[in-house]
Amino acid sequence: MSVDQHRPLGHQYALALLDGGEANVRKFAQTAGSQLTLDAFLRVQDEEPVPAFLHSALCAMSLPTKRPKDDTLPIVREDGKYALAINPRPVLQNIDGRSVMRSLGVPYGAYPRVALIYLLSQAVMKRSRDVYLGRNFTEWMRRLGYQTISYGPRGTANLMREQVDRLLACEWQIRWDGTEADDNAFAVRDVKISNEYAGSLDKNGSFAREIRMSEVFYSHLIEHAVPLNEIAIRELKGTPTALDLYTYLAYRLPRIGSDKGQVISWDQLAKHLGNEADTKRFRQTVRETMQLVSAVYPNANVDLSGRKVVLHPSPAPLERKLVGPHLRAIGASAEKAPRSSVTDTHRPDTLAPAEPLLAFPIGSLEYGARETAFRQIGLAKGHPWSVDNMADAFRQGCPDFERRRPEKEWLRIWEAFVTKYAARRAQRSSV
């Protein structure tokens, strides 16, 4: 398979997978890819998606990638109807034995992005303002995907704690100017993500185990949460621009209605990503970053090769099937079907009969022929917790729950939810 300079590596890995399975992907990566992008692609394809969430305003407008020259000044972002302001309010601190009011500054870099996605994901999944972090800081960071955690002055734990402190001390103003007719107008002013947060950072010691999200922010989050894939976030956690590009595309691409796509300027994309580099350098950075982003989100159909950025309608990141015109145009013939469980359902030679679209079962999962498969997953993956209690939590926390889906998709999403639900309850029980 030849290298196509206009296609991100994730697209080309997906085509190689469709054409000959994992072995073909590895063969292609020997000449065209890197070990980083290959590993990310294979891990995301191998693991079941785990739902994560971020507020739509924070997908459309990012935190600073680097520390601003004056990090005590508010950050203001605009995206069409959206406007976002992050104001680093002073907090009471003890400095040399004296209590003083001092601004911690605005959050920046990769750490607050990862922490923010985790906090908001937990709130959406649990349908609760109270977010449990863990027994200690080390445990919490490992849940975020950091395997090596150090406690020196520039150690990962201290860097994360500093950014979490900045994140939770800020006040946020979010505004979306709509019309009364489309019921989109809202304004949220002086919102803190959390009203209650305190703790100390000691190695394997105590810290803020639970954060209570402010009611206004929580209510607004539930209405405007964008689904992401936690597995992808783990792969991108070290690069702020990659996290920004991934979350922006996850928010924007599934909402594009026109088959022709949407054209935006590079300057517009720079505003979305909060990047202040010069245009030439920014383009180069984004094109390079897209190689890794496409590895974890191969369905993202974006053309970054020209003088304009072209965004095409694409499935959300939680969709595992490799679909879309940028993938279905090339691939294996029917006799060369990949051994992988990932299939291309849009190609004419592999097109299966359309599955009926169903709602999630209502009521108890103890009864009914269709309910049996859901109950078995609950018993196998969610033991010892009540299957019906898990089903109630799923009905409250599943994004787009009212949308009808094929039965296989419901079972896949349900299994991912049950697995995470059981792990979360087990962690709480051990405290």
Side-chain angles (χ1 to χ4, degrees):
M1 182 177 178
S2 61
V3 180
D4 185 343
Q5 299 296 333
H6 295 297
R7 291 179 184 270
L9 279 174
H11 295 184
Q12 299 185 65
Y13 287 155
L15 293 170
L17 183 66
L18 294 170
D19 194 44
E22 182 178 322
N24 200 39
V25 178
R26 292 186 180 278
K27 181 180 178 181
F28 171 76
Q30 288 179 356
T31 57
S34 69
Q35 194 64 41
L36 179 65
T37 57
L38 174 63
D39 290 346
F41 175 81
L42 293 177
R43 276 193 288 263
V44 171
Q45 293 301 318
D46 287 343
E47 296 188 47
E48 283 295 324
V50 178
F53 299 91
L54 186 62
H55 193 292
S56 57
L58 298 172
C59 290
M61 298 168 290
S62 303
L63 300 172
T65 56
K66 297 180 180 180
R67 184 171 189 165
K69 292 181 180 179
D70 186 348
D71 59 358
T72 64
L73 296 177
I75 296 295
V76 180
R77 301 270 190 257
E78 290 184 284
D79 171 35
K81 294 180 179 180
Y82 265 134
L84 169 69
I86 306 172
N87 189 16
R89 304 290 293 178
V91 297
L92 187 62
Q93 293 184 306
N94 188 309
I95 300 178
D96 297 330
R98 297 177 54 200
S99 296
V100 298
M101 294 292 290
R102 186 171 73 91
S103 173
L104 300 179
V106 296
Y108 62 90
Y111 287 118
R113 287 162 165 81
V114 175
L116 189 58
I117 291 172
Y118 176 86
L119 296 174
L120 303 194
S121 299
Q122 290 294 300
V124 173
M125 293 291 290
K126 294 193 307 176
R127 269 314 201 256
S128 172
R129 292 168 53 202
D130 295 320
V131 178
Y132 175 74
L133 301 184
R135 290 174 295 182
N136 55 60
F137 212 82
T138 298
E139 176 186 294
W140 183 59
M141 288 197 67
R142 284 184 175 149
R143 292 175 66 182
L144 297 179
Y146 297 93
Q147 299 304 317
T148 302
I149 301 151
S150 57
Y151 281 81
R154 300 301 296 170
T156 54
N158 283 284
L159 293 175
M160 173 64 84
R161 175 56 189 271
E162 176 191 350
Q163 292 300 326
V164 171
D165 283 343
R166 287 170 176 251
L167 192 68
L168 298 178
C170 286
E171 288 183 344
W172 305 66
Q173 292 186 16
I174 304 172
R175 185 175 184 85
W176 181 2
D177 294 322
T179 64
E180 293 184 2
D182 61 18
D183 196 31
N184 280 334
F186 64 73
V188 180
R189 296 185 176 278
D190 299 330
V191 175
K192 274 198 169 185
I193 293 178
S194 171
N195 289 333
E196 300 177 26
Y197 169 66
S200 61
L201 175 57
D202 299 315
K203 187 173 183 179
N204 297 321
S206 62
F207 80 115
R209 293 188 179 187
E210 194 168 60
I211 291 175
R212 170 156 289 184
M213 198 167 289
S214 68
E215 186 171 0
V216 176
F217 187 88
Y218 168 75
S219 299
H220 202 258
L221 166 66
I222 295 299
E223 296 178 3
H224 300 278
V226 175
L228 310 169
N229 185 356
E230 182 181 298
I231 309 302
I233 298 300
R234 292 178 189 170
E235 298 298 325
L236 306 176
K237 66 180 182 298
T239 310
T241 300
L243 289 166
D244 290 345
L245 186 58
Y246 171 80
T247 55
Y248 173 68
L249 296 179
Y251 159 70
R252 193 71 195 92
L253 299 183
R255 290 165 173 77
I256 297 176
S258 171
D259 291 338
K260 295 180 180 179
Q262 181 182 16
V263 179
I264 64 173
S265 69
W266 282 96
D267 287 342
Q268 287 176 299
L269 184 61
K271 291 180 180 179
H272 290 309
L273 303 187
N275 194 301
E276 298 179 357
D278 62 81
T279 302
K280 184 177 180 180
R281 183 179 176 185
F282 173 72
R283 292 186 187 188
Q284 180 181 354
T285 298
V286 171
R287 285 167 177 157
E288 292 174 353
T289 302
M290 187 62 195
Q291 305 302 327
L292 179 57
V293 172
S294 70
V296 302
Y297 188 9
N299 281 331
N301 190 2
V302 182
D303 185 356
L304 301 173
S305 61
R307 301 177 67 179
K308 297 284 187 178
V309 176
V310 185
L311 309 174
H312 296 281
S314 307
L318 287 178
E319 175 58 72
R320 293 193 72 193
K321 295 177 181 178
L322 300 175
V323 300
H326 58 303
L327 296 178
R328 71 175 180 229
I330 305 175
S333 58
E335 60 271 16
K336 292 184 179 179
R339 288 188 293 267
S340 170
S341 60
V342 182
T343 57
D344 182 1
T345 59
H346 281 250
R347 285 175 45 222
D349 54 352
T350 60
L351 188 62
E355 297 182 42
L357 301 180
L358 306 171
F360 187 79
I362 61 175
S364 173
L365 298 182
E366 296 286 337
Y367 310 99
R370 183 186 170 217
E371 286 74 8
T372 300
F374 291 90
R375 182 171 181 270
Q376 289 176 344
I377 290 174
L379 293 174
K381 303 290 186 178
H383 181 78
W385 313 109
S386 164
V387 175
D388 282 341
N389 286 347
M390 288 188 288
D392 289 339
F394 178 74
R395 294 181 181 108
Q396 294 178 356
C398 176
D400 297 329
F401 177 74
E402 300 299 329
R403 181 164 68 87
R404 292 178 175 269
R405 312 169 191 261
E407 189 79 327
K408 289 182 179 179
E409 184 177 347
W410 275 124
L411 290 170
R412 174 175 58 77
I413 298 174
W414 165 246
E415 182 174 353
F417 173 83
V418 167
T419 301
K420 193 166 185 178
Y421 179 97
R424 189 165 58 241
R425 292 295 298 270
Q427 288 172 342
R428 287 188 173 186
S429 299
S430 64
V431 175

